[in-house]
Amino acid sequence: MKVMAFVGSPRKAGNTSKVVDAICTGIKENGHSVEIYNLSELDNKGCTGCGACQTKKVEYCAVNDKMTALLAKIADADCIIVGTPVYMAHVSGYTKNFLDRLFTFFIQANDTVRILPGKKYITVTCSGAPAEAFKNVTEYLNMVFGFYFQMVNAGNITAGDMADKDDILSQPEILKQAEEIGRKLN
Ligand SMILES: Cc1cc2nc3c(=O)[nH]c(=O)nc-3n(C[C@H](O)[C@H](O)[C@H](O)COP(=O)(O)O)c2cc1C
């Protein structure tokens, strides 16, 4: 099983990273391979809305950046993990830019989706406010991956009460839950 994990916080080794790492620890116990990417390092130029992905002028995307190369790898993956901090009451900008680039998997002409349906996904949302405050961010991610892309939900973690980058360490139950989600992935 090939798994790709994307961390939408530019804060290295922060809470989102730690939860994603815990999921990956569980996944690796079953011998699956995981590649972790920090979205702030991908030089993602953002979707330009050029439509080349819809007219099939290109296989995935006409934008010349690292993200385009990753789209082929996403197409080949069995599961993707997306972790985001809550920034201004929503996913971080890095995460939103990433989601926009998945537009290539839509087929606007007949409102269908290619390649992604049936693949698994896991989400992580980390906020400063208590977790209940941003359930809507997790619901948004479920809408994108589960409803739009018809992917299979393999776990959602919505964690809160975190300001400093190590605050998640005082919530070991969340890290345990994350490892368990990873362990159950098959
Ligand atoms: C630019 C910015 C905006 C933020 N906006 C919110 C917010 O709207 N609501 C909230 O609860 N926390 C907010 N936070 C706090 C982060 O969501 C929280 O500290 C989270 O744990 C950061 O994840 P990280 O440790 O992976 O970077 C914000 C933090 C930053 C840096």
Side-chain angles (χ1 to χ4, degrees), residues 8 16 82-93 95-96 99 121-146 153 155-160:
T16 313
V82 175
T84 183
V86 171
Y87 277 7
M88 294 302 164
H90 212 291
V91 297
S92 68
T95 306
K96 183 58 168 57
L99 297 175
Y121 76 94
I122 297 168
T123 71
V124 174
T125 302
C126 293
S127 60
E132 306 78 66
F134 289 107
K135 275 190 197 151
N136 62 310
V137 175
T138 299
E139 281 161 13
Y140 163 75
L141 291 169
N142 283 336
M143 182 175 76
V144 171
F145 292 109
N153 187 339
N156 295 127
I157 291 186
T158 312

Side-chain angles (χ1 to χ4, degrees), residues 150-162:
Q150 296 154 48
M151 294 172 74
V152 178
N153 187 339
N156 295 127
I157 291 186
T158 312
D161 296 312
M162 292 172 289

Side-chain angles (χ1 to χ4, degrees), residues 1-2 10-11 14 21-22 31 36 47-48 63 70 80 85 91 94 102 104 112 124 127 146 150 164 172 181:
M1 184 172 235
K2 293 176 207 159
R11 189 155 67 159
D21 283 350
I36 305 177
C47 175
T48 62
V63 175
L70 281 183
I80 66 170
V91 297
Y94 290 111
L102 301 181
T104 183
T112 57
V124 174
S127 60
Q150 296 154 48
D164 294 334
I181 285 173

Side-chain angles (χ1 to χ4, degrees), residues 32-158:
H32 302 307
S33 73
V34 189
E35 289 180 6
I36 305 177
Y37 298 87
N38 188 295
L39 294 175
S40 70
E41 292 171 351
L42 293 186
D43 177 35
N44 185 339
K45 294 186 173 140
C47 175
T48 62
C50 71
C53 62
Q54 301 299 316
T55 52
K56 294 287 154 282
K57 285 185 183 140
V58 289
E59 189 180 13
Y60 290 111
C61 186
V63 175
N64 185 14
D65 66 2
K66 289 182 193 165
M67 186 63 213
T68 289
L70 281 183
L71 290 168
K73 290 194 84 166
I74 290 172
D76 193 42
D78 302 295
C79 175
I80 66 170
I81 302 169
V82 175
T84 183
V86 171
Y87 277 7
M88 294 302 164
H90 212 291
V91 297
S92 68
Y94 290 111
T95 306
K96 183 58 168 57
N97 257 354
F98 169 78
L99 297 175
D100 289 352
R101 297 295 290 279
L102 301 181
F103 188 68
T104 183
F105 296 109
F106 268 116
I107 304 171
Q108 257 186 319
N110 59 6
D111 244 339
T112 57
V113 181
R114 62 178 178 136
I115 303 169
L116 297 186
K119 291 183 190 291
K120 298 197 169 149
Y121 76 94
I122 297 168
T123 71
V124 174
T125 302
C126 293
S127 60
E132 306 78 66
F134 289 107
K135 275 190 197 151
N136 62 310
V137 175
T138 299
E139 281 161 13
Y140 163 75
L141 291 169
N142 283 336
M143 182 175 76
V144 171
F145 292 109
F147 180 67
Y148 279 20
F149 290 132
Q150 296 154 48
M151 294 172 74
V152 178
N153 187 339
N156 295 127
I157 291 186
T158 312

